[in-house]
Amino acid sequence: MEAVILILGLLFLAFMALGVYVTVKVVGAAKRGVDRTITQARRTVEETALRAKSFGQAGVAGELAQLRLALRTSMRATQEALQTGAAQDASLSESLGLFQRLSVHGQELDEELKRLEREPDRTTVASLLPGLKQRTQRITHSADSLRWAARDRAQRFADDDLEALNVQIDVEAGALRHWTVEEPSGGAGASAGAGGAGPAGAAGSGVGAEGPDALTARDPRAQTGYPWQKTVRPETTN
């Protein structure tokens, strides 16, 4: 009896521990989802404000907003392209590592541009603009190079796969169109002799002159459906 109670107690504790673990995982996943949503919302609001400043403000403030917007747009597009490609192509992991190092410089530049937006001494900020533009161009050029190289690589693999698939389909299509005609039993002489013997011979001659064997039609209801196929409607009788 004591052993049964002990086992039940252990099972209860195990279920309790499992419930706590599942609850913690669910809460953690929900928290991460909320954090991502907040981050994306904050990023959207900030970039919308940058677009408004870049088009609506002239002078130093507008130029700083344009630099930040160009930097953030290039870095985000490259990050998405590399992360998506690395999930299918392991060789992009090194490129992703290089981009992470580049992101450190991009983050530092973005923070500097953000501080300069609040700087009241516009004359000093204007004197820094040429150097800031050059740094922005160097970072965005490197990010764009990584992104387009990854896209070109993915496109090349897709083209190679499509070419190989086309070759296989051509071979299969040729095999589907190839069939042999069996010679009638008795040879050509027998067929000719039977042909001169009368109606029976004429019938035999007709059989010998036939073309390729008839191909049995497939039941359309037994074929696999695809999105572009129409559904076969059953025939109804009155």
Side-chain angles (χ1 to χ4, degrees):
M1 186 63 181
E2 294 180 356
V4 174
I5 296 175
L6 179 61
I7 293 174
L8 292 176
L10 292 176
L11 289 176
F12 176 76
L13 291 177
F15 282 118
M16 287 291 294
L18 180 60
V20 172
Y21 174 77
V22 172
T23 302
V24 170
K25 297 292 287 185
V26 170
V27 171
K31 183 178 182 300
R32 287 191 297 271
V34 172
D35 292 340
R36 283 195 299 269
T37 302
I38 295 175
T39 301
Q40 292 175 356
R42 185 184 297 115
R43 180 187 304 158
T44 301
V45 171
E46 190 171 3
E47 292 183 356
T48 302
L50 288 175
R51 289 190 179 91
K53 290 180 181 179
S54 63
F55 291 106
Q57 294 185 3
V60 176
E63 293 189 45
L64 290 174
Q66 290 176 6
L67 292 178
R68 289 191 66 197
L69 186 60
L71 176 66
R72 293 162 69 93
T73 301
S74 176
M75 297 296 286
R76 184 177 64 254
T78 302
Q79 183 181 29
E80 293 175 355
L82 291 179
Q83 288 180 344
T84 302
Q88 302 175 353
D89 187 358
S91 61
L92 290 180
S93 58
E94 184 176 355
S95 300
L96 193 57
L98 293 174
F99 174 76
Q100 291 173 352
R101 293 172 56 187
L102 182 66
S103 297
V104 175
H105 296 276
Q107 183 67 28
E108 292 176 353
L109 177 58
D110 184 67
E111 292 294 335
E112 183 176 355
L113 293 172
K114 188 175 182 179
R115 287 194 302 268
L116 291 176
E117 287 180 340
R118 301 187 296 268
E119 174 61 46
D121 188 356
R122 293 305 185 188
T123 303
T124 302
V125 176
S127 65
L128 298 175
L129 276 177
L132 295 172
K133 289 180 180 179
Q134 184 178 9
R135 286 174 59 189
T136 303
Q137 290 173 357
R138 291 175 62 186
I139 293 175
T140 55
H141 174 73
S142 296
D144 294 344
S145 298
L146 284 174
R147 183 174 70 254
W148 285 110
R151 289 178 175 175
D152 291 344
R153 180 181 177 86
Q155 185 62 44
R156 178 59 185 270
F157 284 162
D159 292 341
D160 291 345
D161 183 69
L162 179 59
E163 182 178 358
L165 180 61
N166 288 336
V167 172
Q168 294 178 0
I169 290 176
D170 290 341
V171 173
E172 179 65 15
L176 291 174
R177 292 190 179 96
H178 181 268
W179 58 82
T180 58
V181 180
E182 296 182 358
E183 292 292 337
S185 59
S191 298
S205 177
V207 173
E210 280 189 1
D213 295 341
L215 301 178
T216 303
R218 296 182 179 179
D219 185 357
R221 294 171 297 180
Q223 297 180 0
T224 304
Y226 294 95
W228 53 83
Q229 287 183 333
K230 296 182 178 179
T231 305
V232 179
R233 298 181 179 178
E235 295 181 359
T236 58
T237 57
N238 296 328

